[in-house]
Amino acid sequence: MQTQTYKIKGMHCASCASIIEKTFKKVDGVESAEVNYGTETAKVAFDESKTNPQQLSQKIEPLGYSLVTETAEEMGMSADEHAVHTGLGQSKKEKLVELAEMRTKIISVVPLTLFAIFVLGWDTLAQFKVVSAIPIFWGDFFSHFLPVMATYTLFIVGQPYLMGVYRFLRYGKANMDTLIGLGTAVAFLYSLIVTAFGESLKTYINTGNTYYDVTIVVIAFITLGKYLEARSKLKTGDAIEKLLNLQAKTALVVRDGREVEIPIVQVVHGDLIVVKPAGKIPVDGVLTAGASYVDESMVTGEPMPVNKKIGDKVVAGTINTTGSFTFQATKVGSETLLANIIKLVGEAQGSKAPIQALADKISSVFVPVVLVVSFVTLGLWLLIGTQYLGFSQALSFGLVSFVGILVIACPCALGLATPTAIIVGVGKGAREGILVKDAGTLEKLHKVNVVVVDKTGTLTKGKPELVSIKNLSDRADQDLISILASLENKSEHPIAHAIVSYATANKINLQAVNNFEAIKGQGVKGIVGDVLYFAGNAKLVQELNLSFDAPLIEAETMTGKTPVFLATKEKVLAVVMVADAIKLEAIEAVAHLHQLGIKTIMLTGDHQNTAQYIAKQVGIDEVVAEVMPADKLNKIKELQAQGKIVAMAGDGVNDAPALAQADVGIAMATGTDVAIESAGITLLHGDISKLVKAINLSKITMRGIKQNLFWAFIYNIVGIPLAAGLFYPLFGWLLSPVFAGLAMAFSSVSVVGNSLRLKGKKI
């Protein structure tokens, strides 16, 4: 089973998405299909042995759509560029061409529209005796010129709408184009019949009314609205484009002893790459020579350049500021952090939020229902209106209502309400170092009322340091540190790294260790020289039945320090204290979470006293210490059983079970080790202050979606009854198709505009 996301051409509204989705799901071999009108993409899971992209495209081509299945070469892109391009970023060139064509049509129809509005306005004002009636000469001129203008507008500018009617008649699939095409075509045909056979029809209908102006103005307004909508939608995809622009196009590689500039796609693992001042780093790697300061704000959001020396990692897309250096490529192409971020942002922008389900359901039945309502309305005007107004007037009003309903009832705004806000929200998050995996996660985050955090790497720096040594023997401190560091050098524990780092920094030599063994949950042991030494926690010392100053150790742990004992079988030789410094931003972040009414809980495998000390400094509400990964998982389940909506923030590796169980899993990630796939949200640089920003981002995005849905619904809730003439018997109100077209055009523009407004919101 293969899952791919494809660009779709020819989509004009939410009904298009529904038609394509239903068509794909009927294809043998397709397991699932999700079509997004906002990004104009289809995510399809299919069995390659039963179908393929070309066959899928053939299924929707008769309906006016097509799947973009070109190869990378056909699109003028490298294989890696093609792999990381998704959604709007992939189609911008095509969109600009499409926009240019739409602009040409609009320019051609604007003079005709202004002329039609002028004639319509003059005629309307004359009826109310505001101005004198149109002179006979000009009246004759207008009556002959308007049909010519309407013919051009309908058959040239309005061709897509007529094709919508054709496909509806042939395949029974209706979308927004069908509504507009049917409404304007009926208005045009009625007017043409009146013009051609006016004298013969005088006794039956009012031949004084024609609707050429309606055909012209409605098509012009709809086309203008679609142009503005398409242009605005293009802006919602700016985040992807900006990320793509961060990629270097070439790399200066050392080949055969000399520097050669090659396209980035030709860089391979192990290549030595030279980066000069102000140069972009092309791929991920590790410094092998030189040193410099690198601007990593793209990844971390931190404005200050970071000092890089031999052995340090560098990330693609970051910028070298001062000196030159050489690094070895470790991740290339789609493996790099930047490529993964682009892929994640693209997928998240194309995903659907649960709140969109309502809009999707309505959109899927909206067009057929509107068609039925429009015909029923026309029938009721003829059936009931004829009794009170006469057939001629009832037919005239019935046609106005019929066309008005078809024109104003557009599901475009409904289809755009959720995806445009999601696209902008996800893009804004990416620029802030908040990577959102999917729209559903972003929606759930604003409901969170409990945040569970790990201690190490989340509230603290995650890099413990040796801060003191208590020597209980007659040997020199350096000797004891040498033995302890030699033992701990075999361990992968962060505390062991802190001890080894201390020895290295103080130029204390390490010694050979024989018969090394890790003692689960307690420490390590091994022979240094001819003596068996033990290094570990208080449990290890207790197991050896050795005495130590328990009150002193407890007092130290109360201040957040972790004791590490060095002992032989006979006695404790020394106790070193290791401490993990609190992140400065953690205190402020927890305070902001409290302001949002969110409870904070710390889950840690560390000592109870250490955990309590850290929690008190940061302001955490509840502490659960000395827990295993399985205990963390059970705590999350317990909170959920109480009806809490839980977000879990951890390092994305040892907290994986708890992250998966939480309603929202948040990975605290740093640099190239970012665990993008491990949680619903990834905070780059492991910055917990971004957790508050992520919650605020969710809140403003959801607020934007709800505002969009309100505007999308209100246009139709008010417009359709008004267009149908429901208020005519009471107030004499009828909605002109001209104003219906204007309202429909700007409903989509207002929704997209409201989504774009989120870009300027502070989180």
Side-chain angles (χ1 to χ4, degrees):
M1 193 66 66
Q2 181 181 358
T3 302
Q4 289 288 341
T5 299
Y6 299 99
K7 180 80 183 75
I8 291 184
K9 289 182 181 178
M11 292 179 67
H12 299 126
C13 66
S15 293
C16 295
S18 177
I19 290 168
I20 296 166
E21 199 168 282
K22 286 178 180 176
T23 304
F24 282 161
K25 286 178 178 177
K26 290 177 183 177
V27 177
D28 184 35
V30 173
E31 184 180 276
S32 65
E34 188 177 281
V35 180
N36 191 312
Y37 171 49
T39 54
E40 297 178 14
T41 56
K43 186 177 182 181
V44 189
F46 60 93
D47 186 340
E48 293 173 282
S49 64
K50 294 182 179 180
T51 189
N52 57 53
Q54 287 73 26
Q55 290 175 351
L56 291 172
S57 186
Q58 287 168 10
K59 291 288 184 182
I60 59 174
E61 280 167 10
L63 306 177
Y65 315 108
S66 63
L67 217 61
V68 178
T69 57
E70 292 100 328
T71 62
E73 291 73 24
E74 286 172 338
M75 296 181 70
M77 303 161 66
S78 71
D80 278 308
E81 286 174 325
H82 185 263
V84 298
H85 275 58
T86 53
L88 293 172
Q90 190 175 350
S91 63
K92 184 166 186 183
K93 193 178 290 185
E94 294 173 355
K95 275 290 175 190
L96 290 173
V97 172
E98 187 181 322
L99 280 171
E101 291 173 356
M102 291 173 70
R103 187 166 58 244
T104 302
K105 285 184 177 181
I106 290 165
I107 291 170
S108 72
V109 83
V110 162
L112 308 184
T113 308
L114 293 175
F115 181 80
I117 291 173
F118 170 73
V119 175
L120 178 65
W122 191 346
D123 188 44
T124 303
L125 292 173
Q127 289 179 24
F128 291 98
K129 303 192 184 310
V130 177
V131 297
S132 58
I134 299 174
I136 295 173
F137 169 77
W138 286 112
D140 288 342
F141 172 73
F142 294 158
S143 64
H144 287 89
F145 190 45
L146 279 173
V148 177
M149 292 165 50
T151 302
Y152 169 80
T153 304
L154 180 63
F155 291 96
I156 304 299
V157 181
Q159 187 182 22
Y161 312 122
L162 292 179
M163 289 302 296
V165 177
Y166 166 74
R167 293 187 187 103
F168 169 62
L169 295 174
R170 182 166 181 183
Y171 302 106
K173 304 289 186 181
N175 60 10
M176 185 204 86
D177 288 353
T178 309
L179 301 182
I180 304 304
L182 195 58
T184 52
V186 166
F188 177 81
L189 287 172
Y190 173 82
S191 303
L192 195 63
I193 291 169
V194 168
T195 301
F197 307 103
E199 289 300 320
S200 306
L201 297 171
K202 261 186 180 177
T203 54
Y204 305 104
I205 61 174
N206 180 7
T207 57
N209 288 338
T210 59
Y211 301 103
Y212 294 120
D213 48 6
V214 168
T215 301
I216 296 165
V217 177
V218 165
I219 287 177
F221 279 158
I222 301 299
T223 306
L224 175 62
K226 287 178 73 172
Y227 170 75
L228 294 173
E229 174 194 313
R231 198 172 70 169
S232 299
K233 276 173 67 180
L234 206 58
K235 291 179 183 177
T236 63
D238 283 351
I240 289 278
E241 186 181 358
K242 286 176 181 175
L243 288 169
L244 289 169
N245 288 337
L246 291 172
Q247 292 177 316
K249 302 296 183 288
T250 61
L252 198 60
V253 180
V254 178
R255 295 271 170 92
D256 299 323
R258 60 193 183 91
E259 296 177 4
V260 183
E261 189 169 15
I262 62 172
I264 189 174
V265 293
Q266 294 179 15
V267 177
V268 296
H269 295 103
D271 268 342
L272 291 176
I273 301 169
V274 178
V275 183
K276 296 184 177 179
K280 276 185 182 178
I281 295 169
V283 295
D284 294 2
V286 178
L287 257 70
T288 57
S292 183
Y293 282 86
V294 175
D295 179 359
E296 293 189 328
S297 56
M298 177 276 293
V299 174
T300 65
E302 301 299 326
M304 294 297 293
V306 180
N307 183 25
K308 295 289 181 180
K309 55 188 182 300
I310 294 172
D312 288 343
K313 295 176 181 178
V314 289
V315 177
T318 55
I319 300 171
N320 180 27
T321 60
T322 53
S324 296
F325 60 84
T326 302
F327 74 95
Q328 187 172 40
T330 56
K331 292 181 181 178
V332 300
S334 56
E335 302 169 344
T336 65
L337 172 65
L338 180 59
N340 279 316
I341 290 173
I342 293 169
K343 181 183 177 185
L344 183 77
V345 172
E347 288 177 350
Q349 289 184 336
S351 63
K352 288 185 177 182
I355 196 172
Q356 193 176 339
L358 173 64
D360 283 349
K361 284 179 182 176
I362 293 171
S363 296
S364 65
V365 298
F366 194 78
V367 172
V369 168
V370 167
L371 281 170
V372 171
V373 169
S374 61
F375 279 104
V376 168
T377 300
L378 176 59
L380 288 174
W381 270 109
L382 293 176
L383 188 66
I384 300 171
T386 301
Q387 298 177 28
Y388 299 97
L389 304 171
F391 176 77
S392 178
Q393 189 71 3
L395 176 61
S396 179
F397 283 175
L399 280 172
V400 168
S401 295
F402 176 79
V403 176
I405 290 170
L406 291 176
V407 169
I408 200 168
C410 170
C412 275
L414 201 57
L416 289 167
T418 301
T420 51
I422 291 293
I423 290 168
V424 174
V426 168
K428 187 177 180 68
R431 289 193 295 274
E432 295 279 353
I434 303 163
L435 302 183
V436 182
K437 193 172 184 179
D438 56 61
T441 299
L442 190 62
E443 180 179 335
K444 280 188 282 188
L445 188 57
H446 86 288
K447 300 175 183 176
V448 165
N449 48 31
V450 175
V451 169
V452 176
V453 294
D454 181 37
K455 178 180 76 70
T456 307
T458 304
L459 298 176
T460 64
K461 292 179 180 178
K463 292 181 179 179
E465 301 170 351
L466 194 156
V467 293
S468 66
I469 176 170
K470 183 171 181 59
N471 192 333
L472 303 174
S473 71
D474 56 0
R475 300 170 68 172
D477 288 357
Q478 280 199 338
D479 291 342
L480 296 174
I481 293 293
S482 175
I483 296 167
L484 180 59
S486 299
L487 288 168
E488 296 289 13
N489 193 40
K490 299 279 188 178
S491 172
E492 291 297 320
H493 197 282
I495 289 177
H497 290 174
I499 294 168
V500 174
S501 296
Y502 179 86
T504 304
N506 289 277
K507 298 180 180 179
I508 298 172
N509 295 324
L510 302 186
Q511 303 175 53
V513 178
N514 297 314
N515 298 338
F516 175 84
E517 184 183 333
I519 305 168
K520 190 174 180 179
Q522 296 180 7
V524 297
K525 67 178 181 177
I527 297 173
V528 179
D530 295 323
V531 181
L532 176 62
Y533 291 97
F534 297 84
N537 56 24
K539 287 182 182 178
L540 176 62
V541 177
Q542 288 167 352
E543 286 290 326
L544 293 170
N545 291 318
L546 301 177
S547 61
F548 61 93
D549 190 346
L552 175 65
I553 299 302
E554 188 173 346
E556 291 283 5
T557 58
M558 290 292 285
T559 63
K561 296 172 184 174
T562 300
V564 178
F565 295 84
L566 175 65
T568 62
K569 278 189 174 181
E570 292 76 31
K571 63 175 293 190
V572 175
L573 302 176
V575 184
V576 299
M577 291 295 172
V578 176
D580 185 7
I582 292 172
K583 290 180 178 179
L584 295 177
E585 64 270 19
I587 299 170
E588 188 178 359
V590 170
H592 283 147
L593 288 172
H594 288 156
Q595 288 172 10
L596 293 171
I598 296 171
K599 182 180 179 180
T600 54
I601 299 174
M602 183 171 77
L603 294 181
T604 178
D606 211 340
H607 191 277
Q608 179 71 33
N609 292 335
T610 302
Q612 289 287 357
Y613 176 77
I614 297 291
K616 187 176 180 181
Q617 281 191 299
V618 176
I620 295 289
D621 297 316
E622 183 182 336
V623 178
V624 183
E626 299 179 34
V627 294
M628 301 297 285
D631 299 323
K632 293 184 180 183
L633 175 66
N634 291 333
K635 181 64 178 180
I636 300 290
K637 287 181 177 178
E638 179 188 320
L639 290 166
Q640 290 171 328
Q642 296 170 10
K644 306 293 185 184
I645 309 296
V646 184
M648 166 74 185
D651 62 14
V653 182
N654 64 343
D655 294 317
L659 286 170
Q661 178 64 36
D663 296 287
V664 180
I666 302 168
M668 309 294 293
T670 305
T672 53
D673 295 326
V674 57
I676 288 176
E677 294 300 325
S678 66
I681 290 176
T682 301
L683 306 181
L684 293 179
H685 199 50
D687 185 352
I688 193 173
S689 66
K690 288 185 170 69
L691 172 56
V692 180
K693 287 188 174 184
I695 293 171
N696 287 332
L697 176 69
S698 174
K699 287 180 182 293
I700 66 168
T701 303
M702 292 310 301
R703 196 179 304 127
I705 288 173
K706 288 171 183 175
Q707 290 167 351
N708 286 349
L709 288 171
F710 168 79
W711 286 113
F713 278 116
I714 205 71
Y715 273 105
N716 290 313
I717 289 170
V718 174
I720 291 176
L722 189 57
L726 203 63
F727 301 107
Y728 183 80
L730 297 173
F731 308 107
W733 293 351
L734 265 183
L735 182 66
S736 165
V738 170
F739 291 107
L742 186 64
M744 196 235 84
F746 285 98
S747 64
S748 296
V749 176
S750 62
V751 163
V752 178
N754 187 55
S755 294
L756 287 172
R757 197 172 55 86
L758 301 180
K759 282 187 175 184
K761 291 281 187 179
K762 187 177 179 182
I763 59 173

